[in-house]
Amino acid sequence: MNLTGKTALVTGSTSGIGLGIAQVLAQAGATLILNGFGDVEAAKDAVAQYGKTPGYHGADLSDEAQIADMMRYAASEFGGVDILVNNAGIQHVSPVETFPVEKWNAIIAINLSSVFHTTRLALPGMRARNWGRIINIASVHGLVASKEKSAYVAAKHGVVGLTKTIALETAQTGITCNALCPGWVLTPLVQQQIDKRIAEGAPPDVARDALLAEKQPSREFVTPEQLGELALFLCSDGAAQVRGVAWNMDGGWVAQ
Ligand code: NAD
């Protein structure tokens, strides 16, 4: 699969799943634009090893104006976005009665509203070129719920609904929009949840195994590279009629 000539913007690509997907797309020849916080130089190096220095924009995706600035950067420096991977996301675990309101607002803004903003700003260019791939990293929590994750589950169900709407609005074009719904992937976002169990007294191995055993029948983590391979397939001509799908890769989680 050759993505030479295509520009891919992956939000939240300085870490975890986003970085894994960015690397797979870069390996296939795409020019990458990275986004996210933390060790930006390490992420750039991880992508640059496949041949091209990636672009980077540090937009905070909870801020609509910064998202608009990132999309202007993509248009002016790279001629627009052909492949948009809406990946950035955060988590907070707490019962609904005590869920901090500022965490609710941040999760809805970053995990859901940013997908609306990047997409609405990327679509005119995709329509002009009559080609585009919008890949939204939802979650199994876009399909089923877990307790104490109200904002995350609401946002991810919202992402799945938004994905279907965008797929219908672009159905007669060369643009497709789909969602990936990962189960547990061992990234900083999930390590935080393992660390919480360790802080409550579980030994590290037990905490990790218990997390998997509760939900993921394979008892193995999904990897960012595996998600990258699925994203790469969605970029192919073979996937041109895959539209509005919420595709789980979850070790059997939602089969139960
Ligand atoms: P991660 O914490 O490793 O990475 C999150 C990325 O988002 C980082 O690059 C971070 O800098 C960026 N980010 C966070 N807040 C941001 C903001 N306000 N503006 C811009 N960037 C921001 O997490 P991950 O596990 O790789 O998660 C990536 C996506 O996959 C998320 O949408 C998450 O909900 C989803 N997901 C993860 C899992 C899992 O098990 N790890 C499962 C299903 C879905």
Side-chain angles (χ1 to χ4, degrees):
M1 164 117 226
N2 191 345
L3 294 179
T4 304
K6 304 292 190 202
T7 298
L9 168 62
V10 184
T11 68
S13 45
T14 49
S15 161
I17 294 170
L19 180 56
I21 293 176
Q23 288 181 278
V24 172
L25 297 181
Q27 201 165 8
T31 300
L32 265 295
I33 303 172
L34 305 180
N35 157 260
F37 308 141
D39 194 344
V40 173
E41 289 312 312
K44 280 185 178 171
D45 289 347
V47 168
Q49 66 177 310
Y50 298 107
K52 289 180 208 149
T53 306
Y56 170 79
H57 194 286
D60 179 337
L61 299 188
S62 64
D63 181 346
E64 190 186 317
Q66 293 187 41
I67 295 173
D69 195 53
M70 176 174 73
M71 301 310 283
R72 275 192 296 273
Y73 162 78
S76 64
E77 300 294 318
F78 296 88
V81 175
D82 302 300
I83 299 165
L84 172 62
V85 182
N86 287 305
N87 167 79
I90 59 167
Q91 175 63 286
H92 185 79
V93 181
S94 176
V96 76
E97 311 92 290
T98 52
F99 206 92
V101 171
E102 65 278 10
K103 289 284 183 197
W104 171 277
N105 289 337
I107 289 173
I108 297 299
I110 296 164
N111 296 18
L112 176 59
S113 299
S114 77
V115 180
F116 162 68
H117 291 302
T118 55
T119 302
R120 72 183 172 80
L121 295 167
L123 270 175
M126 290 180 178
R127 284 191 191 279
R129 294 184 290 277
N130 196 33
W131 196 92
R133 293 289 186 265
I134 301 167
I135 301 170
N136 296 327
I137 309 307
S139 166
V140 285
H141 286 116
L143 303 171
V144 294
S146 294
K147 62 183 183 171
E148 303 191 351
K149 295 185 177 176
S150 53
Y152 189 84
V153 169
K156 294 300 188 180
H157 275 67
V159 168
V160 169
L162 179 58
T163 298
K164 292 177 186 173
T165 299
I166 296 162
L168 291 179
E169 292 184 10
T170 55
Q172 293 177 9
T173 73
I175 304 161
T176 70
C177 180
N178 294 288
L180 302 189
C181 297
W184 292 127
V185 185
L186 191 55
T187 67
L189 183 140
V190 165
Q191 188 62 46
Q192 275 175 19
Q193 296 172 59
I194 297 174
D195 290 346
K196 196 172 170 213
R197 289 168 189 247
I198 295 169
E200 287 161 5
D205 282 1
V206 174
R208 176 185 172 280
D209 291 346
L211 183 102
L212 282 170
E214 272 172 23
K215 300 282 186 180
Q216 200 142 301
S218 67
R219 306 260 181 125
E220 287 182 26
F221 289 103
V222 177
T223 69
E225 295 71 27
Q226 289 165 342
L227 289 161
E229 293 297 332
L230 185 50
L232 187 60
F233 168 66
L234 290 175
C235 293
S236 71
D237 292 342
Q241 292 308 325
V242 181
R243 293 173 184 267
V245 166
W247 193 325
N248 46 310
M249 184 187 271
D250 63 0
W253 183 321
V254 301
Q256 298 169 95

